[in-house]
């Protein structure tokens, strides 16, 4: 029954009842006017009429009350059902259906609702299947990568990890996926190091030494930030990070073979070079026979080149010591001035050759002593002073000195030569790096070894330099 019929029926019943009530009242009134109210014959008719009026009135009130409850409820029920259905759909329950076959007005609405829910369910099933297959595909890709790989979201939860990574971390997939890497790292040293480097990146990324599959391997970690693909760069948001570990064991082995090779060669070269120097000394001895001018020039050139060779082999040997981790330090209490004097003495001949003035800047007041391997630091200062002389113009001047700032001692070497382009301020400390176009001969090893020697003793070596104005190299030591 539709709402219109229900309303018409309600109004019809009520109208019928009221008409009946009115007829009965009129009949009652006629009885009253036609008969003598005091005659006993009128009494039963009157009573009957009153009873009918009361019964009809009662039925009228009851029907009215019933209609009052039943009509709004019968209209509200389908509306409530529809609202409930919409809420279910909003909560992704696409299985919800409305049954309103008996309700004429809402039947169509219910049918449309059911059709919509059906479509939504189909759509979800298909997108879910698509998403699942895309996810499986991505997982297959991640697993087929032979290098360990770990994917994290912004909150540092592990979203994906391949078997290689599980192997080096020595963890199980089910313990890892969707878990906080920070919490997991409390019990895993390697993960802790990776997360620490991810959160607070530092410039010097040492290779990771990992013992897995009964062998020692070396890995270099790279951290790739993942941003959403927005065409507008201002709108780009970070989604997470991927940690990729590159297995560099093979390179490390080759590198160590190279270090051993250089070390052996430099060691072997030292003996013949020393023999050449000895022979030259004998040759220059007038007791053996005087050399003519041309021979003297040749002998001088052989001597200079042999010294250079000896220097280079010395540098190479130092480098191999650092690379093989065999740097042996023998620290002792040392006055900074002793180191400076050593460096000046070692470079005096070279400075005189280019007529370069070496000035010393040393505080008159007492300066703290250092606890360092004096041989190594003297070597560093000698190397810095040699550079300052080599990269200065003839007839120039260089300054070597020390000063104390609180509990920090600074040893410095300053020149007023060609200076270094700021682009190369970091690279000059790399092995074999030479500023492009440098005319002075060199190996590109001195500064990198110097840095290693200083840092091995908890010091710092920095450069301040401006093109055309000169350079200042400073060694810092805390006392
Ligand atoms: P090298 O044997 O080439 O001097 P170093 O490691 O000592 O090797 O220096 C690396 C490079 O840094 C040099 O090739 C040079 O270009 C630059 N350099 C070092 N010291 C100075 C300096 N005092 N003035 C200008 N350039 C310098």
């Amino acid at each position: 029954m539709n709402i219109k019929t229900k309303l018409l029926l309600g109004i019809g019943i009520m109208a019928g009842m009221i008409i009946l009530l009115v007829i009965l009242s009129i009949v009652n009134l006629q009885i009253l006017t036609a008969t003598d109210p005091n005659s006993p014959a009128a009494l039963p008719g009157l009573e009957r009429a009153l009873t009918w009026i009361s019964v009809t009135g009662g039925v009228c009130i009851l029907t009215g009350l019933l209609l009052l409850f039943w009509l709004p409820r019968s209209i509200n029920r389908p509306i409530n059902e529809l609202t409930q259905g919409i809420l279910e759909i909003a909560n992704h329950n696409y299985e919800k259906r409305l049954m309103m076959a008996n309700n004429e007005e809402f039947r169509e609405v219910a049918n449309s609702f059911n059709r919509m829910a059906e479509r939504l369910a189909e759509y979800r099933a298909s997108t879910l299947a698509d998403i699942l297959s895309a996810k499986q595909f991505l997982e297959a890709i991640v697993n087929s990568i032979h290098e360990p790989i770990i994917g994290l979201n912004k909150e540092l939860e592990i979203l994906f990890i391949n078997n290689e990574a599980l192997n080096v971390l020595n963890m199980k997939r089910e313990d890892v996926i969707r878990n906080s890497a920070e919490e997991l790292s409390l019990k895993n040293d390697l993960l802790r190091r990776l997360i620490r480097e991810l959160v607070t990146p530092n410039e010097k990324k040492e290779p990771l030494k990992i013992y897995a599959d009964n062998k020692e391997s070396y890995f270099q970690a790279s951290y790739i930030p993942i941003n959403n693909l927005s065409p507008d760069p201002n709108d780009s948001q970070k989604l997470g990070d991927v940690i990729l570990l590159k297995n560099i064991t093979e390179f490390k082995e080759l590198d160590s073979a190279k270090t051993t090779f250089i070390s052996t060669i430099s060691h072997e070269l030292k003996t013949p070079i020393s023999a050449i120097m000895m022979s030259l000394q004998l040759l220059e001895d007038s007791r053996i026979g005087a050399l003519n001018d041309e021979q003297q020039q040749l002998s001088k050139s052989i001597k200079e080149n042999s010294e250079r060779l000896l220097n280079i082999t010395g540098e190479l040997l130092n480098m191999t010591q650092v690379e093989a981790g065999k740097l042996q330090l023998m620290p002792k209490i040392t006055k900074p001035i002793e180191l400076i004097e050593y460096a000046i003495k070692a470079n005096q001949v070279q400075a005189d050759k280019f007529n370069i003035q070496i000035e010393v800047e040393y505080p008159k007041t007492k300066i703290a002593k250092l606890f360092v391997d004096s041989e190594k630091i003297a070597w560093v200062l000698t190397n810095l002073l040699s550079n300052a002389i080599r990269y200065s113009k003839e007839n120039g001047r260089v300054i070597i000195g020390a000063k104390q700032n609180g509990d920090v001692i600074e040893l410095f070497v300053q020149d007023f030569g060609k200076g270094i382009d700021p682009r190369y301020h970091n690279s000059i400390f790399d092995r074999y790096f030479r500023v492009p176009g440098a005319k002075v001969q060199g190996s590109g090893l001195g500064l990198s070894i110097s840095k290693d020697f200083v840092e091995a003793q908890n010091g710092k070596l920095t450069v301040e330099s401006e093109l055309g104005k000169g350079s200042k190299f400073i060694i810092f030591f805390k006392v």
Side-chain angles (χ1 to χ4, degrees):
M1 200 190 307
N2 65 23
I3 292 171
K4 215 159 63 184
T5 323
K6 281 177 193 167
L7 272 171
L8 282 174
L9 186 75
I11 292 164
I13 293 172
M14 286 299 286
M17 290 292 179
I18 290 165
I19 290 166
L20 197 66
L21 206 64
V22 171
I23 292 171
L24 282 172
S25 303
I26 293 168
V27 170
N28 202 11
L29 214 72
Q30 275 176 354
I31 294 171
L32 271 176
T33 46
T35 51
D36 176 7
N38 296 325
S39 78
L43 222 64
L46 203 64
E47 275 174 0
R48 215 176 314 121
L50 271 173
T51 316
W52 273 109
I53 288 171
S54 317
V55 170
T56 320
V59 170
C60 252
I61 290 165
L62 258 175
T63 317
L65 283 174
L66 271 174
L67 283 173
L68 209 66
F69 280 106
W70 176 70
L71 256 177
R73 276 193 62 191
S74 72
I75 296 169
N76 265 350
R77 200 181 311 121
I79 293 176
N80 282 343
E81 245 180 84
L82 187 65
T83 314
Q84 205 53 42
I86 291 168
L87 279 177
E88 292 280 339
I89 295 284
N91 289 331
H92 304 284
N93 177 12
Y94 302 133
E95 305 310 318
K96 177 74 188 170
R97 297 289 180 274
L98 296 181
M99 298 302 168
M100 294 190 194
N102 301 330
N103 194 321
E104 216 176 278
E105 281 91 358
F106 285 91
R107 196 182 303 133
E108 256 320 291
V109 178
N111 284 344
S112 304
F113 176 93
N114 292 345
R115 263 200 307 279
M116 175 190 78
E118 229 165 81
R119 294 275 182 287
L120 283 172
E122 277 169 22
Y123 175 72
R124 190 178 62 172
S126 72
T127 44
L128 254 181
D130 286 351
I131 291 169
L132 270 176
S133 79
K135 186 173 170 270
Q136 277 165 359
F137 187 66
L138 283 176
E139 276 172 359
I141 292 177
V142 168
N143 259 327
S144 62
I145 295 173
H146 293 304
E147 310 285 6
I149 182 167
I150 307 165
L152 305 135
N153 63 11
K154 260 197 315 192
E155 287 74 37
L156 294 181
E157 281 173 355
I158 297 182
L159 294 184
F160 61 82
I161 183 164
N162 66 355
N163 294 337
E164 296 285 336
L166 286 169
N167 190 25
V168 296
L169 286 173
N170 198 15
M171 291 179 117
K172 287 197 187 96
R173 184 176 293 278
E174 56 272 24
D175 299 336
V176 167
I177 292 292
R178 277 279 163 198
N179 281 330
S180 155
E182 274 175 320
E183 272 173 33
L184 291 169
S185 71
L186 295 176
K187 289 187 203 141
N188 191 301
D189 291 345
L190 178 57
L191 191 60
R192 185 161 53 243
R193 196 170 148 187
L194 291 172
I195 298 301
R196 200 174 44 221
E197 274 189 14
L198 173 70
V199 178
T200 46
N202 73 32
E203 273 175 32
K204 208 170 170 188
K205 290 198 172 72
E206 292 289 333
L208 302 155
K209 194 170 166 186
I210 295 166
Y211 196 80
D213 287 341
N214 295 327
K215 64 177 184 339
E216 219 168 55
S217 303
Y218 288 87
F219 289 88
Q220 187 74 55
S222 34
Y223 303 87
I224 308 158
I226 306 296
N227 296 320
N228 66 349
L229 295 170
S230 169
D232 178 5
N234 297 328
D235 201 28
S236 130
Q237 266 181 353
K238 191 171 172 190
L239 301 176
D241 290 276
V242 166
I243 303 176
L244 200 73
L245 296 176
K246 192 168 170 50
N247 193 335
I248 53 160
T249 316
E250 208 178 311
F251 302 109
K252 199 78 185 156
E253 282 164 2
L254 286 173
D255 194 48
S256 120
K258 173 219 75 186
T259 307
T260 316
F261 175 74
I262 294 178
S263 164
T264 318
I265 291 286
S266 349
H267 218 275
E268 292 301 316
L269 276 177
K270 265 183 130 179
T271 323
I273 299 169
S274 303
I276 294 172
M277 304 266 277
M278 286 272 285
S279 309
L280 273 174
Q281 235 171 359
L282 287 173
L283 206 64
E284 280 170 356
D285 194 332
S286 55
R287 282 173 295 178
I288 294 176
L291 297 177
N292 63 27
D293 283 354
E294 212 173 317
Q295 285 167 334
Q296 261 178 16
Q297 275 298 320
L298 282 171
S299 137
K300 200 177 154 207
S301 158
I302 297 171
K303 198 173 170 190
E304 274 177 11
N305 281 305
S306 306
E307 270 168 5
R308 247 175 56 73
L309 257 179
L310 208 59
N311 268 344
I312 292 174
T313 45
E315 279 185 348
L316 286 173
L317 261 179
N318 279 336
M319 182 197 79
T320 54
Q321 262 190 27
V322 176
E323 286 200 344
K326 287 184 192 150
L327 193 63
Q328 279 178 357
L329 297 170
M330 284 188 281
K332 60 175 194 213
I333 294 171
T334 315
K335 283 187 194 162
I337 192 69
E338 287 171 7
L339 303 169
I340 292 172
E341 279 166 357
Y342 179 93
I344 296 175
K345 217 163 143 197
N347 280 292
Q348 198 60 62
V349 177
Q350 205 189 7
D352 291 344
K353 190 173 155 191
F354 296 106
N355 195 26
I356 285 172
Q357 195 70 31
I358 303 177
E359 292 170 17
V360 179
E361 264 181 24
Y362 204 76
K364 299 236 171 359
T365 51
K366 225 171 161 219
I367 184 167
K369 288 179 186 136
L370 295 166
F371 186 65
V372 289
D373 184 323
S374 55
E375 227 174 82
K376 300 262 182 317
I377 300 305
W379 186 93
V380 174
L381 268 183
T382 307
N383 183 64
L384 293 179
L385 189 58
S386 158
N387 277 356
I389 295 167
R390 285 191 303 137
Y391 295 104
S392 283
K393 291 183 202 94
E394 259 183 72
N395 310 318
R397 67 182 184 110
V398 297
I399 303 172
I400 181 166
K403 66 176 177 184
Q404 183 163 4
N405 264 335
D407 60 348
V408 177
I409 296 275
E410 291 179 21
L411 300 166
F412 56 86
V413 177
Q414 187 174 8
D415 67 66
F416 304 91
K418 58 185 285 193
I420 305 162
D421 192 321
R423 282 186 287 172
Y424 305 123
H425 284 188
N426 284 330
S427 325
I428 52 170
F429 296 104
D430 292 343
R431 298 243 189 288
Y432 309 109
F433 181 85
R434 310 206 62 232
V435 171
K439 292 199 180 75
V440 180
Q441 281 189 324
S443 61
L445 282 172
L447 284 178
S448 83
I449 297 167
S450 300
K451 197 171 162 67
D452 286 337
F453 278 2
V454 171
E455 285 179 357
Q457 303 184 60
N458 302 321
K460 220 170 107 186
L461 173 60
T462 63
V463 62
E464 293 166 3
S465 182
E466 221 179 300
L467 267 182
K469 290 200 173 161
S471 317
K472 186 175 182 182
F473 286 86
I474 313 167
I475 305 168
F476 297 88
F477 277 119
K478 238 178 166 177
V479 285

